[in-house]
Amino acid sequence: MTKLLMNEKIAKAQKEIDDKKKYVENGKMRQHYHLMPQCGWMNDPNGLIYFKGQYHVFYQTNPYSGFWDSMHWGHAVSKDLLHWEYLPLALAPSEVYDDFQKGGCFSGSAIEHDGKMYLFYTGTANHGHGNVQTQCLAISEDGIHFEKYTGNPLITVPEGIEPDSFRDPKVWKHEEKYYMVIGGSRNHRGLALIFESEDLYHWNYLNVLSESRGEWGFMWECPDFYPLGDKYVLTFSPMGSGDHTSAYLVGDFDYETGRFDSHVSGEMDWGFDYYAPQSIVTPDGRRLVISWANEWEWMPLFKDWGPTYQEGWCGFFNLIREVKLGNDGTLQFVPIEEMKNIREDGFCQEEMLITEDPKQLKAGDGISFEMKFVFDLKKTDADSIEMKFRCGDGKETCCIFDLKNGELSVDRQNSDGWSTGVSRSVLLVNDKSELDVHIFSDQSSLEIFTDQYRNNHSNNIFAGDQQNQLSISAHGGKAVIRNYESYKLKDCFRKE
């Protein structure tokens, strides 16, 4: 009965997608190389796994509207991390523990076991006494069709943890045991809990893996935990922590006690739109992260969800990034090498002098492009350098490298008539001979990487095709750019 009911729910939702996708794919704000839903709402990436020769990405989705509501799991696969094929929905709310209009099948992860794919997710329900979240399992032989485990839920809310703040299981294997980290809230402070199992079905609480002492918000969403080099990394999205969208901690971990001792903390991204990152290991051993290009704090809940909502969809993923551990313990988040495979219309210039007079820049069509260069700081004496993107019709997005005051800012106040805010981060250039910059623009997003990919800003901007001009200028002196290169980026969703 369980399988039959979920299949009915999936069939109904799939019909909704099939009826709307042709209309939605013609939307003016649709991305060219960022994964997005065929229609309806998308948020957190889930269940990232390499299974039977291809990458699987699942995602939170409401297929009925471009607005958050009862959560299903969407599903897409790829062989190259660039071109994606949409598969039928994997999960739909159908059981007493996950069938609730303002709940459903919340975020989780995937693991392979005995040739099968195991999806772990949070079931959210409400039986009249508030939302209750539990951890559940669904299994597939082929990685496409899933059946919920009849023994669900596997894990219920531990004592002392808020029942509506216990979610997003991430599972991995170490030696002969399986481990699961889950986000939670206790005494209005965020934390990550760790559980262990010998068979993936029976789980024992091990310990509090790590917790906020007041500095990291009241709830840790979408925690992820993995080894990197000789250290361990914990990432999470802290709720109620202001402009912090996705944090990382680096330190040491003891499997015997289940405790994580962090020594380094940092921001994965300083922009407004980088949330719920989840990692995957590639066949060649790279640790990649995928995240949702949005964030709850600034979104005008229950009001206007922006230009894409008007087109029948909302949400997409950020550029996929490789996580690397620096010598000082900080992390780098480097755009994947595969992005080079969609470059065309390349342009290079060895050196460029920047003055107060705005200089027009060439980068593909000015909409979907990649740009890469370094500022030669030995030859630069400007107080600040201003770059303007997606200019046209009186609109622009402004990025300022403030060398005098040590700040990088991205201003989208005048980007599109809807977006607001200025993202800021510290920019240290003392004793450096150069400052590296790497930029990716798509129809509705701008992602800026600098300082060896440790200082990143991801912001959504909903700019039209007529906004395709780019310029750069220096203030209080001159600036010199070296090794400038730019490319147009192909559309990964257009049928050739």
Side-chain angles (χ1 to χ4, degrees):
M1 189 65 184
T2 295
K3 180 179 179 180
L4 180 62
L5 184 55
M6 186 172 79
N7 287 345
E8 290 176 353
K9 294 288 188 75
I10 287 177
K12 179 183 177 184
Q14 200 63 50
K15 184 179 186 304
E16 187 80 7
I17 294 172
D18 292 340
D19 289 346
K20 293 179 177 179
K21 64 185 181 183
K22 285 296 183 184
Y23 167 78
V24 171
E25 71 181 17
N26 294 316
K28 294 181 179 179
M29 294 295 118
R30 296 289 281 179
Q31 296 279 63
H32 298 274
Y33 57 89
H34 289 79
L35 182 62
M36 55 198 161
Q38 290 176 288
C39 74
W41 167 269
M42 168 197 270
N43 59 294
D44 308 352
N46 300 153
L48 309 185
I49 188 172
Y50 187 80
F51 182 75
K52 295 187 177 180
Q54 56 188 351
Y55 295 96
H56 290 250
V57 170
F58 301 85
Y59 51 89
Q60 294 284 278
T61 186
N62 169 25
Y64 297 99
S65 168
F67 187 84
W68 184 90
D69 210 331
S70 181
M71 285 291 95
H72 298 59
W73 275 37
H75 190 187
V77 294
S78 174
K79 292 186 181 296
D80 63 1
L81 295 170
L82 298 170
H83 301 86
W84 295 92
E85 175 190 354
Y86 294 99
L87 296 182
L89 295 170
L91 298 177
S94 62
E95 311 306 315
V96 66
Y97 51 79
D98 68 13
D99 194 0
F100 175 57
Q101 191 64 36
K102 297 300 180 183
C105 302
F106 277 15
S107 294
S109 58
I111 192 170
E112 183 175 354
H113 176 61
D114 290 340
K116 302 176 184 178
M117 189 189 297
Y118 283 58
L119 297 185
F120 292 87
Y121 71 97
T122 296
T124 299
N126 189 318
H127 306 296
H129 304 286
N131 285 4
V132 176
Q133 297 178 348
T134 57
Q135 313 317 316
C136 306
L137 169 65
I139 304 171
S140 173
E141 297 271 359
D142 60 6
I144 301 175
H145 305 93
F146 291 85
E147 186 172 348
K148 293 177 182 176
Y149 175 51
T150 56
N152 283 339
L154 302 177
I155 304 174
T156 55
V157 183
E159 184 177 353
I161 302 300
E162 295 297 324
D164 63 348
S165 298
F166 177 59
R167 56 183 176 270
D168 312 331
K170 178 64 189 292
V171 177
W172 73 97
K173 186 177 183 180
H174 175 73
E175 295 180 349
E176 298 304 314
K177 284 189 177 181
Y178 299 93
Y179 295 85
M180 178 190 294
V181 61
I182 304 172
S185 179
R186 181 174 63 183
N187 299 325
H188 210 63
R189 292 182 175 182
L191 77 169
L193 305 168
I194 187 169
F195 295 75
E196 63 180 359
S197 172
E198 294 183 354
D199 62 3
L200 291 173
Y201 295 95
H202 303 88
W203 292 87
N204 300 312
Y205 170 69
L206 182 57
N207 212 335
V208 172
L209 178 71
S210 184
E211 59 188 317
S212 171
R213 303 306 171 94
E215 75 278 31
W216 288 115
F218 65 83
M219 166 67 193
W220 287 2
E221 288 205 298
C222 302
D224 197 356
F225 191 63
Y226 49 85
L228 195 66
D230 61 351
K231 296 295 180 180
Y232 271 81
V233 174
L234 174 65
T235 66
F236 55 90
S237 287
M239 299 186 76
S241 193
D243 290 342
H244 301 291
T245 60
S246 294
Y248 72 79
L249 306 177
V250 178
D252 300 307
F253 176 60
D254 182 355
Y255 271 101
E256 290 299 317
T257 64
R259 288 293 286 187
F260 173 61
D261 182 18
S262 61
H263 315 303
V264 176
S265 65
E267 302 285 336
M268 299 180 73
D269 197 293
W270 288 97
F272 292 108
D273 299 298
Y274 192 90
Y275 201 82
Q278 186 173 122
S279 72
I280 179 176
V281 177
T282 63
D284 61 4
R286 292 175 294 162
R287 176 70 64 169
L288 307 184
V289 290
I290 303 178
S291 60
W292 175 42
N294 222 316
E295 197 267 335
W296 297 113
E297 298 282 346
W298 70 267
M299 285 293 285
L301 289 171
F302 309 113
K303 295 180 182 177
D304 176 15
W305 286 79
T308 69
Y309 173 76
Q310 305 302 325
E311 297 179 355
W313 68 287
C314 188
F316 47 87
F317 289 163
N318 294 99
L319 199 65
I320 303 174
R321 306 168 189 187
E322 180 180 358
V323 189
K324 296 184 177 182
L325 180 66
N327 293 331
D328 60 356
T330 61
L331 299 184
Q332 300 168 288
F333 301 93
V334 185
I336 55 172
E337 284 291 312
E338 285 85 347
M339 290 302 299
K340 294 178 180 178
N341 297 329
I342 59 170
R343 289 173 171 175
E344 60 182 7
D345 191 21
F347 173 80
C348 299
Q349 187 168 336
E350 187 174 337
E351 188 167 291
M352 195 182 298
L353 177 65
I354 309 302
T355 65
E356 193 164 2
D357 293 328
K359 181 180 182 63
Q360 298 301 306
L361 295 175
K362 175 178 171 55
D365 62 0
I367 299 170
S368 175
F369 66 83
E370 176 184 359
M371 176 191 297
K372 192 175 184 180
F373 60 88
V374 296
F375 288 117
D376 187 332
L377 297 178
K378 290 183 177 181
K379 297 181 179 179
T380 295
D381 59 11
D383 291 335
S384 66
I385 303 159
E386 181 178 53
M387 299 189 72
K388 293 184 177 181
F389 302 93
R390 304 302 300 278
C391 304
D393 285 351
K395 297 182 175 63
E396 64 186 24
T397 299
C398 184
C399 174
I400 296 180
F401 297 85
D402 189 337
L403 305 180
K404 182 179 180 180
N405 296 302
E407 182 180 81
L408 171 61
S409 64
V410 182
D411 185 344
R412 63 178 186 183
Q413 296 287 115
N414 190 36
S415 292
D416 52 34
W418 185 81
S419 300
T420 60
V422 181
S423 61
R424 295 183 172 90
S425 63
V426 175
L427 183 67
L428 298 179
V429 295
N430 289 340
D431 301 322
K432 293 181 180 178
S433 61
E434 63 181 37
L435 177 65
D436 54 288
V437 180
H438 200 172
I439 297 167
F440 287 83
S441 172
D442 204 343
Q443 186 72 56
S444 298
S445 61
L446 183 66
E447 294 164 277
I448 299 173
F449 302 84
T450 188
D451 195 15
Q452 298 297 307
Y453 302 96
R454 294 175 299 185
N455 194 344
N456 314 316
H457 287 242
S458 295
N459 289 300
N460 296 345
I461 54 170
F462 303 102
D465 288 348
Q466 68 279 8
Q467 293 175 238
N468 60 358
Q469 300 300 306
L470 316 167
S471 69
I472 186 169
S473 58
H475 304 284
K478 68 180 185 306
V480 173
I481 282 177
R482 290 190 291 105
N483 303 325
Y484 179 88
E485 55 182 305
S486 66
Y487 307 89
K488 175 177 171 56
L489 297 178
K490 300 176 185 177
D491 194 322
C492 294
F493 296 94
R494 186 182 66 237
K495 297 265 197 268
E496 299 293 345

